[in-house]
Amino acid sequence: VVGFDLDMTLVDSAAGIVATLAATCAEQGVALDPDVVWRWNGVPLEETLTAIAPAVDPVATANRYRALYPEFGVGPTTLLPGAAEALEAVHDLGGRVLVVSTKIESAVRAVLAHVGLDAGRRGPDLVVGGLFAAAKGVRLAAEQADVYVGDHPGDVEAARVAGAASVAVATGPHAAADLAAAGADVVLADLTTFPAWLADFAARRASPESDIRDAGAAKPGCPSR
Ligand SMILES: [Mg+2]
């Protein structure tokens, strides 16, 4: 069972998020710096708005953002390299694919459909929205996730809470070194190398000589959890 984050892990949603936030805040006469918005990618919207636009009501503005997202946010969103193949690789091994995102579920589904990750071997078996960091981990644990893949230190925390291997991808606003420092079991430049990593992970887990129970134990020098 492999869970994936959505934004900046499977898709490049940065332009759509900036466009939607800009449109939402412009209605209230507030201008935003796209570079600042980028650094907050992956964090819950209300928390982001409190930090980057303190003049607006975060709850009302987040609701307005979600209403505008289908119009402004979905269209500019593109598939990241290796994302489709990563989902196919899980299915090819007989696994389940979960997409667990901070976005609301309707927005997750709209984005997945827009980039073609909504059917067949590329379609997730479960889509869950509205969760961040440890809350993602609780849901991943309920689904018995073996692996969680994400671009944010909160995704590393989610994997840890779930007792899953943490695969980090450096395709978002967080550098590889920061993701490693956050405790990721492995940091990939992007998802193009994920199928090879997954095949190795599955082979090590299946090996009768192996006493590997999770990725933490698999990593020399890394204490088992
Ligand atoms: Mg993300």
Side-chain angles (χ1 to χ4, degrees):
V1 179
V2 181
F4 292 87
D5 168 56
L6 178 69
D7 292 307
M8 305 316 303
T9 296
L10 294 174
V11 301
D12 184 345
S13 51
I17 289 170
V18 168
T20 311
L21 266 177
T24 307
C25 289
E27 290 181 343
Q28 301 184 50
V30 174
L32 294 177
D33 177 350
D35 290 339
V36 173
V37 174
W38 164 243
R39 291 198 291 276
W40 285 84
N41 190 302
V43 176
L45 201 47
E46 289 83 352
E47 199 179 315
T48 300
L49 285 164
T50 300
I52 70 173
V56 306
D57 174 345
V59 174
T61 307
N63 287 336
R64 181 63 179 150
Y65 172 99
R66 291 177 182 124
L68 293 180
Y69 189 80
E71 179 185 349
F72 290 92
V74 175
T77 302
T78 57
L79 204 54
L80 278 167
E85 294 80 4
L87 270 55
E88 290 175 351
V90 177
H91 284 141
D92 288 350
L93 287 169
R96 290 182 76 218
V97 170
L98 323 173
V99 173
V100 183
S101 174
T102 309
K103 268 185 164 47
I104 58 169
E105 185 184 325
S106 61
V108 177
R109 290 189 181 281
V111 166
L112 290 172
H114 174 69
V115 299
L117 297 183
D118 61 337
R121 289 161 61 237
R122 297 180 168 194
D125 301 287
L126 177 71
V127 173
V128 181
L131 300 176
F132 181 61
K136 282 185 174 179
V138 171
R139 187 57 199 264
L140 289 164
E143 298 297 329
Q144 299 183 299
D146 300 291
V147 180
Y148 187 60
V149 187
D151 71 293
H152 194 282
D155 298 325
V156 177
E157 182 185 354
R160 191 182 308 122
V161 167
S166 171
V167 177
V169 284
T171 41
H174 299 276
D178 296 339
L179 295 163
D185 293 302
V186 61
V187 182
L188 308 177
D190 59 34
L191 285 175
T192 57
T193 53
F194 179 79
W197 178 86
L198 182 67
D200 180 61
F201 176 82
R204 284 188 285 119
R205 290 275 291 246
S207 167
E209 302 90 58
S210 172
D211 57 2
I212 292 169
R213 292 292 172 260
D214 65 20
K219 216 165 126 183
C222 182
S224 59
R225 284 162 291 155

